């Protein structure tokens, strides 16, 4: 399968490496001004892995027309801009696979919706979500992930073509839930990092119990299956996001409390604003997300925010 990967950050680079590893014909694209791409061109690899000679690095977007499948791993807030860039190209009958996890702040759109609204009707869209850190995949530590799409045929083809000894894929059955759950877990990762920063890591247990319930309510209100919040897209990704030293979102949350600088991309920072807006739109209470939002966007004192969250009125555990 000819695959064109857009995005040369940590995960996009991994995707390209993985697809090359399992025998795909891969081109990895990055802008010629990108620091990541410049470094990849110089080393033909990065700090984690050396690429094989069969993996092609390119700064020429025109090559996208030769691919059967287009895999995208960029900042979620830049998807519409990318679509605008791609409109002049003839990309009919191609499959887009989205590997990032987020929600567009300006509109509340899921990322698959952005692609569907901007690309040709002949295109198909899938999402690739679930747990696992590139640092561990590069060390040949396997994990489980999910492919989801509105098209059963696309899911079947992609899982057949992408499965290997390194990743066991499951068929997603709820595109809304898969996307919202995957995006929201980054917000919960920030919350977990904040608890680490407070030296209250034992509260991660309650966080893990309550957060899927909260996100499940939103998924259901949006027309998805609330059980998706308990699957690989969300709860199944908690170990990698709430505990791992490789988690950008957890590290960012900890840095907020400790008042230290952190310059890596933490998608949860943007996602929490979109989630709070969706909660208002669909009349769903999101107390954990709202607490994170108040701290990040309204400069609420984190100690007061945590106390407010813990002093909410009592309710049944499974309501």
């Amino acid at each position: 399968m000819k695959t064109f990967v857009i995005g040369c950050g940590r995960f996009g680079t991994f995707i390209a490496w993985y697809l090359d590893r399992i025998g795909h014909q891969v081109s990895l694209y990055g802008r010629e001004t990108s620091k990541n791409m410049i470094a990849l061109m110089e080393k033909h690899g990065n700090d984690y892995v050396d690429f094989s000679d069969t993996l092609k690095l390119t700064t020429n977007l025109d090559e996208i027309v030769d691919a059967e499948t287009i895999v995208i791993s960029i900042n979620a807030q830049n998807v519409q801009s990318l679509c605008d860039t791609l409109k002049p190209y003839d990309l009919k009958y191609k499959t887009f696979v989205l590997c990032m996890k987020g929600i567009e702040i300006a509109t509340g759109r899921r990322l698959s919706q952005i692609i569907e609204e901007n690309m040709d009707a002949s295109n198909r869209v899938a999402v690739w979500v679930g747990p696992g850190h590139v640092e561990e995949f590069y060390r040949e530590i396997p994990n489980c992930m999910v492919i989801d799409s509105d098209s059963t045929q696309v899911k079947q083809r992609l899982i057949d073509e992408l499965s290997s000894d390194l990743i066991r894929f499951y068929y997603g059955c709820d595109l809304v839930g898969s996307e919202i759950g995957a995006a929201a877990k980054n917000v919960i990762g920030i919350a977990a990092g904040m608890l680490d920063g407070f030296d209250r890591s034992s509260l991660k247990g309650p966080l893990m119990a309550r957060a899927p319930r909260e996100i499940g309510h939103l998924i259901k209100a949006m027309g998805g299956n609330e059980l998706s919040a308990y699957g690989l897209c969300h709860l199944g990704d908690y170990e990698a996001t709430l505990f791992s030293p490789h988690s950008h979102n957890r590290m960012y949350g900890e840095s907020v409390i400790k008042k230290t600088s952190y310059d890596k991309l933490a998608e949860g920072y943007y996602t929490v604003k979109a989630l709070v807006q969706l909660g208002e739109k669909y009349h769903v209470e999101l107390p954990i997300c709202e607490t994170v939002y108040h701290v990040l966007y309204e400069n609420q004192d984190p100690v007061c925010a945590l106390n407010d969250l813990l002093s909410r009125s009592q309710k049944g555990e499974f309501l």
Side-chain angles (χ1 to χ4, degrees):
M1 179 172 71
K2 286 187 177 181
T3 306
F4 194 85
V5 180
I6 298 176
C8 55
R10 181 171 66 158
F11 202 68
T13 301
F14 159 70
I15 293 293
W17 171 84
Y18 174 75
L19 294 175
D20 177 68
R21 177 187 182 273
I22 62 175
H24 291 231
Q25 187 175 336
V26 182
S27 294
L28 173 60
Y29 168 80
R31 292 174 288 106
E32 59 184 10
T33 57
S34 164
K35 292 181 180 179
N36 287 338
M37 196 62 183
I38 292 170
L40 288 172
M41 289 282 197
E42 290 176 351
K43 301 177 182 178
H44 204 70
N46 57 23
D47 293 339
Y48 308 107
V49 70
D50 294 323
F51 292 148
S52 75
D53 292 336
T54 56
L55 193 155
K56 181 179 181 181
L57 298 172
T58 182
T59 58
N60 182 8
L61 192 55
D62 294 346
E63 296 177 19
I64 194 172
V65 297
D66 297 324
E68 303 166 52
T69 302
I70 299 166
V71 180
I72 303 174
S73 181
I74 63 173
N75 186 320
Q77 303 307 315
N78 294 337
V79 175
Q80 180 60 60
S81 177
L82 174 64
C83 288
D84 294 339
T85 301
L86 295 180
K87 283 178 181 177
Y89 294 92
D90 182 6
L91 301 178
K92 292 183 178 66
Y93 302 104
K94 297 186 185 299
T95 298
F96 288 82
V97 182
L98 308 179
C99 297
M100 56 285 193
K101 302 159 183 176
I103 303 164
E104 188 177 57
I105 294 174
T107 65
R109 289 182 297 177
R110 293 177 286 111
L111 304 186
S112 68
Q113 290 177 305
I114 300 174
I115 298 295
E116 289 169 350
E117 291 173 10
N118 285 272
M119 296 293 104
D120 190 79
S122 66
N123 294 132
R124 294 293 177 263
V125 184
V127 298
W128 175 343
V129 298
H133 283 296
V134 298
E135 293 86 350
E136 295 177 347
F137 282 129
Y138 286 143
R139 291 165 49 212
E140 302 291 329
I141 298 175
N143 217 317
C144 301
M145 303 186 85
V146 173
I147 298 290
D148 209 340
S149 173
D150 284 335
S151 168
T152 301
Q153 182 179 7
V154 166
K155 282 188 287 190
Q156 178 71 62
R157 178 176 68 83
L158 288 173
I159 288 178
D160 288 347
E161 293 175 347
L162 299 179
S163 296
S164 74
D165 59 328
L166 195 57
I167 301 179
R168 173 181 172 83
F169 283 102
Y170 284 83
Y171 295 93
C173 55
D174 173 26
L175 186 57
V176 172
S178 290
E179 289 190 86
I180 296 299
K185 65 93 186 177
N186 287 332
V187 175
I188 308 307
I190 291 177
M194 288 178 173
L195 292 175
D196 288 335
F198 278 133
D199 195 24
R200 289 172 170 79
S201 300
S202 61
L203 278 172
K204 286 185 182 179
L207 178 65
M208 293 172 66
R210 297 306 306 164
R213 198 79 187 111
E214 176 173 317
I215 301 306
H217 287 317
L218 179 61
I219 290 172
K220 182 178 180 180
M222 294 179 67
N225 184 342
E226 62 185 315
L227 292 179
S228 293
Y230 298 90
L232 288 168
C233 74
H234 190 77
L235 178 60
D237 208 347
Y238 272 13
E239 192 283 330
T241 308
L242 277 62
F243 294 91
S244 172
H246 302 308
S247 171
H248 286 178
N249 290 283
R250 192 203 65 78
M251 290 292 292
Y252 172 71
E254 185 173 344
S255 75
V256 169
I257 301 304
K258 294 183 175 180
K259 301 186 186 307
T260 57
S261 62
Y262 191 74
D263 60 359
K264 300 291 196 308
L265 174 65
E267 283 279 15
Y269 174 83
Y270 306 100
T271 301
V272 71
K273 186 173 184 179
L275 284 176
V276 169
Q277 292 172 174
L278 287 173
E280 293 173 352
K281 177 180 178 179
Y282 289 97
H283 308 291
V284 176
E285 284 190 90
L286 302 173
I288 296 170
C289 295
E290 289 166 6
T291 299
V292 173
Y293 176 82
H294 292 323
V295 173
L296 297 184
Y297 284 88
E298 298 179 346
N299 298 314
Q300 183 177 6
D301 178 75
V303 174
C304 293
L306 179 59
N307 289 338
D308 288 347
L309 182 62
L310 293 176
S311 63
R312 296 176 71 246
S313 60
Q314 282 72 32
K315 62 185 299 185
E317 180 180 6
F318 298 110
L319 295 179

